Amino acid sequence: MSTATVQRPTGDTRPATFLGLIPRGVSRYSWLTLLNTWLTWALNVVTFTMVYSLGTVIIEQFHLSPATWGFVVAGYLGIRVLFDLPTTILSDRLGNGFRRKYVWFPLMMLYAVVGSLIAIPQLSGSLWSFCLLLVGVAIGTTASEALGVVATSEWWPREHRGFAVGLHHTGYPVGALVGGLVATGVLVVFGNDGWRLVYLASLATIPFAIWYWYLSTRKHQEEVERHDTEQGLTPSTVEEGEREHVTLRSCFEAMKSREVLILAACGFLFQAMQNVFMTSYPEYLKFVGGFSYAAVASLTVVWAITGAFFQFLWPTISDRIGRKWFIVGAGVIQGTVFLLLPISTGLVGVVLVQLLYGVTLNAVFPLLFSSTADVGGKRTGSALGVVFTSIWLGAVGGTLLASEVLEAGGGFKNADSYRIVYLIMVGFSVLVVVLRLLAKETNPRSARTPAAAPAGSA
């Protein structure tokens, strides 16, 4: 591997890129770890989002009311709230960089095995047994996302953090799209009663988890740090003696930062809106729009087409021009989407409104993660733990809100109840815009050079 410095014009301190987007001069191990965590996350999402893709089938099979369905999904997501911060704290205690695999790997193996057990009807035949097995899926995907984001930010130089985190998280829309297509295929081939077979997809994670174990080593991490320094880039890892371990106390300390609190609040609202969409729009199309189970499974993941592209594009551009206004714009677009959802019942409308939603739906999260890393300093792990916890609290809150409004309105077939839910989400979008306008830019021009010092501690 060559370590020759990429030549730039005299006085040009901007990191080298291809076409202004793709980083140049980055270590091959940065690319390999990103490829691995991307593939792993995408495969995890295939299984994780089956609750949404197959929601209408599960509701019918177990005869669930809106309120009961809301509690099932909220409990599923609530596991992430409970395990997100402890998982981050434990991994941080063991050390940053390559050491995070000591927490990540066993949890990924747990996820793969427990998730596949759902495919056995005798083990998941009741609502309670199905929910119990979902706990393993939730724990595994918590580790995959939370530690995957932190690891990505540590294996890549600071100048390309937004690119790396954004590209990593395109695994969500890609995985969701693949999952929706897999669910549709299984329902078409095996019928509605064969829906459990989709959970066998969790086993595909095993070889990639093993690969990461051997890829994430001290030798490779030191090579990345040396390579970044030689290229005039800023390694994202902090020396062990200089970093602050993540604890509950450090997380409370991180919350004293006005910027961290605002980013956490925005994450709460964005995730609440996403979960309202994921847990109500499929039901709207099935029980109000009259679409089939198979059609719903595929039509409600159309957002992933634009979601993957913009989730990569927006954070990458934000490395150069800042992140604040992208988040503000996302709030405006999502408010527009929720105004359009109730009137988008035909096939063309269903597709177009989701393509618009995909422009922002996924992109906001790497923007929030990168913004948090910008201001986190030595407490980046703690600050990210706060934001992740807030995001999944938003997921629980949004799910319960939608289910309770639908329940009060008479059930899944009342179109007016959906309209009320979506109008509330418009209000959430406005609140996001207001909150983000109150905080400063986390990636100002003065910080977007290799010579710039990392942002201060939260």
Side-chain angles (χ1 to χ4, degrees), residues 90-417:
L90 178 59
S91 73
D92 206 64
R93 281 289 183 180
L94 295 177
N96 64 345
F98 74 93
R99 300 176 186 85
R100 297 194 189 276
K101 70 181 181 181
Y102 298 122
V103 175
W104 184 86
F105 179 79
L107 290 179
M108 292 309 303
M109 300 301 288
L110 170 70
Y111 148 82
V113 173
V114 174
S116 67
L117 296 179
I118 296 177
I120 305 174
Q122 290 82 358
L123 297 179
S124 59
S126 70
L127 180 61
W128 285 108
S129 60
F130 172 62
C131 291
L132 184 62
L133 292 173
L134 281 180
V135 171
V137 175
I139 292 175
T141 51
T142 296
S144 180
E145 182 173 25
L147 300 186
V149 169
V150 175
T152 298
S153 67
E154 290 174 341
W155 282 88
W156 276 74
R158 186 185 187 281
E159 291 78 7
H160 298 301
R161 179 183 289 153
F163 166 85
V165 174
L167 187 57
H168 171 272
H169 248 51
T170 61
Y172 189 94
V174 171
L177 180 61
V178 171
L181 297 177
V182 168
T184 299
V186 168
L187 293 178
V188 170
V189 174
F190 298 100
N192 295 338
D193 291 336
W195 62 270
R196 290 177 175 82
L197 293 174
V198 299
Y199 282 94
L200 290 174
S202 63
L203 294 173
T205 297
I206 293 177
F208 295 102
I210 295 173
W211 178 27
Y212 188 78
W213 179 268
Y214 289 102
L215 180 63
S216 183
T217 65
R218 181 193 297 273
K219 179 181 177 181
H220 292 165
Q221 184 177 330
E222 290 174 348
E223 171 61 27
V224 169
E225 293 171 352
R226 181 171 60 253
H227 182 89
D228 287 347
T229 301
E230 291 173 352
Q231 294 293 315
L233 300 170
T234 311
S236 289
T237 48
V238 182
E239 291 299 324
E240 186 71 20
E242 298 178 1
R243 58 191 289 272
E244 181 176 272
H245 287 299
V246 177
T247 63
L248 287 176
R249 180 177 180 178
S250 72
C251 290
F252 282 118
E253 289 295 318
M255 290 175 66
K256 292 180 180 179
S257 166
R258 182 168 177 267
E259 284 74 23
V260 170
L261 283 177
I262 288 177
L263 292 168
C266 290
F268 178 96
L269 294 167
F270 276 126
Q271 189 65 53
M273 290 187 282
Q274 178 174 335
N275 269 79
V276 164
F277 173 81
M278 301 290 278
T279 58
S280 69
Y281 196 55
E283 288 69 28
Y284 182 68
L285 294 183
K286 169 60 184 173
F287 299 115
V288 177
F291 288 87
S292 68
Y293 293 118
V296 167
S298 57
L299 282 176
T300 52
V301 292
V302 173
W303 52 267
I305 298 173
T306 47
F309 177 72
F310 283 95
Q311 188 169 29
F312 155 74
L313 182 64
W314 283 35
T316 302
I317 297 176
S318 79
D319 281 335
R320 285 155 178 76
I321 67 174
R323 318 191 200 280
K324 175 177 179 176
W325 292 103
F326 282 107
I327 297 174
V328 171
V332 174
I333 292 174
Q334 292 201 18
T336 303
V337 167
F338 279 102
L339 284 174
L340 295 175
L341 280 182
I343 61 176
S344 302
T345 54
L347 181 60
V348 174
V350 167
V351 170
L352 291 179
V353 74
Q354 287 188 76
L355 291 177
L356 177 60
Y357 196 15
V359 172
T360 67
L361 187 150
N362 304 109
V364 295
F365 297 108
L367 285 169
L368 291 171
F369 301 150
S370 298
S371 298
T372 304
D374 291 338
V375 300
K378 295 179 182 180
R379 292 181 184 149
T380 292
S382 302
L384 282 171
V386 170
V387 173
F388 269 117
T389 301
S390 179
I391 283 173
W392 291 109
L393 282 172
V396 172
T399 299
L400 291 176
L401 173 64
S403 65
E404 291 301 319
V405 172
L406 292 176
E407 181 81 9
F412 288 112
K413 296 183 179 181
N414 188 341
D416 289 336
S417 297

